[in-house]
Amino acid sequence: MEIHSPSQGRIGAEISQLDLRAVTAQDATRIRQTIYEHKLVIFHGQSPSPEEYIAFARKIGRPQVYFQHNYHHPQHPELFVSSNVLEDGKKVGVAGTGRYWHTDYQFFQEPLPLVMVYPQVLPKAKRETYFIDMQRVYEAMPAELRAYVEGHRAIQEGKWRYKITPEDVDKALVDILAAVEKQVPAITHPAVIEHPLTGRKSLYLSSGFTTGIEGLTHEENRAAMAKLFAFIEQEAHVQTYSYQPGDILLWENRALLHKASDNPLGEPSKSYRIGIYDELPFYKS
Ligand SMILES: [Fe+2]
């Protein structure tokens, strides 16, 4: 196993000379250390079966089962299926997921520390994931923005990103939203989190799920959110990864925001994601 570190100021270590089907406990420890250091890990030339892919995830941590069953692979609920490809004429998983800035499960009390993506069908035009390093963003924040977040808690809501399912037919939008809100009520997390292992601080906000800072008025929050997201999402903060066949990406949600590319031509696209809990709390309390 060889680890190629990224250049200064970039994220993403490439790991080569390793078959994910034959990872030892010692390799898994090195991979976890690499994630905590470089935030994103890239494996090339991999072709594990779904079973082998899940077995690898188990060596890294505890695979999670997504809270909505319509995202599950029919045989392997640990696989979150993002797909527009029909299988035996049937819809499997959900199409067009995660095309907004977010970090997975931010609207849960226990967010997902790690996530792994394994594309199965790559659209010809492009298949990319965009990343923002929120530890770097935190360090670069001007004092005016820092005042909004330092020592404050941010409100996180999943309901606005809920995707309509076949069971929602004939229901009113207000009733659908009320049911989703019951399942995933708004919660709060510190707006700045401290990594449980490295101690590095990260700005823990996303325009996908964060709706405000606790204690501010509606008007104050509108202004604060606009300024914070304009700063976070500026071009200079975005790093793009373009997938090649055989790539598997694994990254840390404590440190990164991510967003999936659009598929403007509607070409076939399918990937298997696994959310993984490591042995650490999400942030130092
Ligand atoms: Fe995601």
Side-chain angles (χ1 to χ4, degrees):
M1 162 176 176
E2 277 178 29
I3 300 173
H4 310 269
S5 300
S7 53
Q8 190 65 33
R10 308 262 303 169
I11 57 157
E14 300 195 70
I15 296 187
S16 60
Q17 310 298 318
L18 180 73
D19 183 338
L20 293 191
R21 294 173 296 193
V23 161
T24 63
Q26 200 185 355
D27 293 333
T29 302
R30 279 186 74 197
I31 293 168
R32 271 191 303 268
Q33 286 165 349
T34 308
I35 301 167
Y36 300 138
E37 186 177 349
H38 295 299
K39 308 162 200 187
L40 165 69
V41 164
I42 301 149
F43 305 97
H44 299 291
Q46 305 293 329
S47 54
S49 66
E51 290 83 357
E52 290 164 338
Y53 177 48
I54 296 166
F56 169 62
R58 288 217 170 90
K59 290 177 189 167
I60 298 298
R62 178 167 54 85
Q64 169 245 25
V65 172
Y66 196 71
F67 80 108
Q68 288 175 281
H69 65 84
N70 55 318
Y71 287 81
H72 298 175
H73 182 287
Q75 278 84 46
H76 306 285
E78 301 91 338
L79 299 182
F80 169 112
V81 182
S82 177
S83 173
N84 62 4
V85 181
L86 295 180
E87 288 175 47
D88 298 326
K90 272 195 244 150
K91 178 173 165 57
V92 176
V94 174
T97 61
R99 291 175 180 169
Y100 49 86
W101 287 112
H102 70 286
T103 169
D104 303 308
Y105 256 46
Q106 189 172 29
F107 53 94
F108 275 80
Q109 292 296 351
E110 287 188 22
L112 268 179
L114 309 176
V115 70
M116 182 155 63
V117 170
Y118 178 18
Q120 304 291 298
V121 178
L122 288 172
K124 279 194 209 84
K126 63 168 181 186
R127 172 70 173 91
E128 297 175 332
T129 299
Y130 312 107
F131 295 98
I132 295 178
D133 180 345
M134 295 297 273
Q135 292 178 341
R136 221 179 116 217
V137 167
Y138 173 75
E139 286 156 17
M141 275 176 97
E144 182 211 356
L145 295 184
R146 209 167 273 263
Y148 283 124
V149 296
E150 212 69 73
H152 292 274
R153 295 180 74 84
I155 303 157
Q156 312 291 351
E157 293 186 75
K159 73 174 177 190
W160 303 109
R161 299 291 171 179
Y162 174 79
K163 299 187 91 167
I164 299 298
T165 74
E167 285 115 69
D168 295 319
V169 172
D170 292 342
K171 289 183 188 156
L173 284 176
V174 284
D175 295 331
I176 295 171
L177 266 181
V180 175
E181 199 169 5
K182 219 170 164 183
Q183 196 177 13
V184 283
I187 57 147
T188 66
H189 284 296
V192 177
I193 59 170
E194 198 175 330
H195 195 283
L197 202 71
T198 66
R200 288 192 68 183
K201 286 185 170 180
S202 184
L203 183 60
Y204 194 54
L205 309 176
S206 73
S207 54
F209 297 136
T210 311
T211 52
I213 301 291
E214 206 176 43
L216 296 189
T217 65
H218 179 75
E219 289 72 21
E220 286 167 339
N221 260 326
R222 271 182 64 169
M225 293 294 107
K227 282 187 228 168
L228 284 161
F229 295 128
F231 180 75
I232 293 167
E233 296 169 8
Q234 60 183 287
E235 196 70 35
H237 288 158
V238 178
Q239 191 174 318
T240 298
Y241 187 80
S242 297
Y243 291 84
Q244 296 301 313
D247 284 352
I248 292 181
L249 265 60
L250 172 55
W251 68 82
E252 187 172 34
N253 279 318
R254 295 181 180 97
L256 301 178
L257 289 188
H258 63 279
K259 172 174 150 170
S261 54
D262 287 330
N263 184 2
L265 304 177
E267 293 178 81
S269 178
K270 175 179 164 184
S271 28
Y272 290 158
R273 170 190 119 171
I274 304 180
I276 304 173
Y277 285 100
D278 53 17
E279 297 300 307
L280 304 167
F282 196 82
Y283 47 79
K284 260 190 212 169
S285 49

